[in-house]
Amino acid sequence: MLFRSAAEGIKKVIDFQNRLIKETRLGIPATVHEECLTGFTTKGATTFPTPLGLAATFNEQTVEEVTDVIGRDLRSVGVHHALSPVLDLVRDYRWGRTEETMGEDPYISAVMGAAYVRGIEKNGVVATLKHYAGHSSPRVARNHGPVSMGWREMYDFMLVPFEIAIREAKVGSVMNSYTDVDGIPCAASEQLLTHVLHDELGFDGVVVSDYWAISFLELMHGVAGNKAEAGALALK
């Protein structure tokens, strides 16, 4: 794996943005995003405790102070979009991404998640709630596996941290899950992405695909015949 310094990363971003602005038909610069689950993921940056460790402090001020530092780090190198926090609730600890979450309790995850968002976004960087929704509860804890969950459980548990971060912290971005819920892929779920997220929770920010979620509508879920159909289905 190649590790670049922050200075090397800045130069790469500037060069890439210049090409987009000067050498493409529309001249639109890119949104620069980064992972920052335990801190800005670049060589030499500070690494903080995992979200499980942060949540275990039971101190939202501490979480906000930590993510304020992360947000400043991101902003200092031209990053616009932070791909955290993970607000999935863990119901089965066999699931392999448990350490990325804030645990099993919807209230703790909601309070700490909102604090995480406030710290990041006070620096002008957009935080991203993920993975919306039910991602952490696939059958037999198999990552990307189908989620068999009724809407009562979804509302009472899985959606609570997302709702608080949207309503209280005014988060700017939500990332959909790779999984399907009751047979409907989240990336193409009108129920989740329109009726619940926008109409009920009042979210007015940007929904972003987990990296391959739209491609997976064709390749994994089999509800689209090609890339164009997958993109159209997600937009619809």
Side-chain angles (χ1 to χ4, degrees):
M1 181 181 292
L2 177 64
F3 290 96
R4 291 189 176 90
S5 68
E8 291 170 327
I10 292 170
K11 183 179 184 305
K12 190 174 181 66
V13 167
I14 291 172
D15 291 343
F16 188 67
Q17 297 284 39
N18 282 333
R19 289 203 306 273
L20 288 175
I21 294 169
K22 297 176 182 178
E23 300 176 18
T24 63
R25 181 173 62 88
L26 297 177
I28 299 174
T31 297
V32 181
H33 73 265
E34 276 289 352
E35 302 284 357
C36 61
L37 195 69
T38 58
F40 179 23
T41 51
T42 194
K43 183 179 180 181
T46 302
T47 298
F48 294 96
T50 66
L52 275 177
L54 291 176
T57 66
F58 297 96
N59 190 323
E60 58 187 301
Q61 181 178 348
T62 296
V63 174
E64 187 171 336
E65 289 174 354
V66 165
T67 57
D68 181 20
V69 174
I70 296 172
R72 292 203 305 270
D73 285 350
L74 295 170
R75 183 71 176 183
S76 71
V77 297
V79 174
H80 312 109
H81 194 174
L83 301 185
S84 289
V86 173
L87 296 187
D88 299 312
L89 293 179
V90 179
R91 314 304 298 281
D92 185 337
Y93 286 89
R94 296 176 298 175
W95 187 56
R97 299 182 65 173
T98 296
E99 80 282 357
E100 297 183 39
T101 76
M102 295 185 177
E104 64 185 2
D105 184 84
Y107 178 74
I108 293 297
S109 293
V111 171
M112 299 301 180
Y116 194 111
V117 169
R118 289 194 297 269
I120 291 289
E121 294 203 339
K122 69 172 60 175
N123 294 281
V125 178
V126 176
T128 307
L129 311 182
K130 57 187 195 181
H131 306 80
Y132 179 83
H135 185 72
S136 55
S137 295
R139 292 177 190 166
V140 298
R142 180 167 56 98
N143 198 37
H144 296 189
V147 175
S148 299
M149 181 182 297
W151 283 102
R152 169 72 179 270
E153 185 177 4
M154 183 68 78
Y155 275 102
D156 284 356
F157 291 93
M158 296 301 170
L159 293 178
V160 173
F162 291 91
E163 179 178 10
I164 297 304
I166 290 167
R167 294 190 188 279
E168 301 297 329
K170 311 299 183 185
V171 69
S173 179
V174 170
M175 178 186 290
N176 65 263
S177 169
Y178 282 134
T179 58
D180 68 69
V181 175
D182 195 25
I184 307 297
C186 294
S189 173
E190 188 174 355
Q191 177 69 22
L192 274 174
L193 298 180
T194 298
H195 299 319
V196 177
L197 185 60
H198 288 287
D199 298 342
E200 295 181 14
L201 301 186
F203 179 68
D204 62 358
V206 62
V207 176
V208 296
S209 163
D210 205 339
Y211 285 113
W212 301 283
I214 294 176
S215 297
F216 280 174
L217 295 176
E218 175 196 3
L219 302 175
M220 184 170 75
H221 298 291
V223 296
N226 52 51
K227 291 180 180 179
E229 287 183 10
L233 191 60
L235 286 171
K236 181 175 183 294

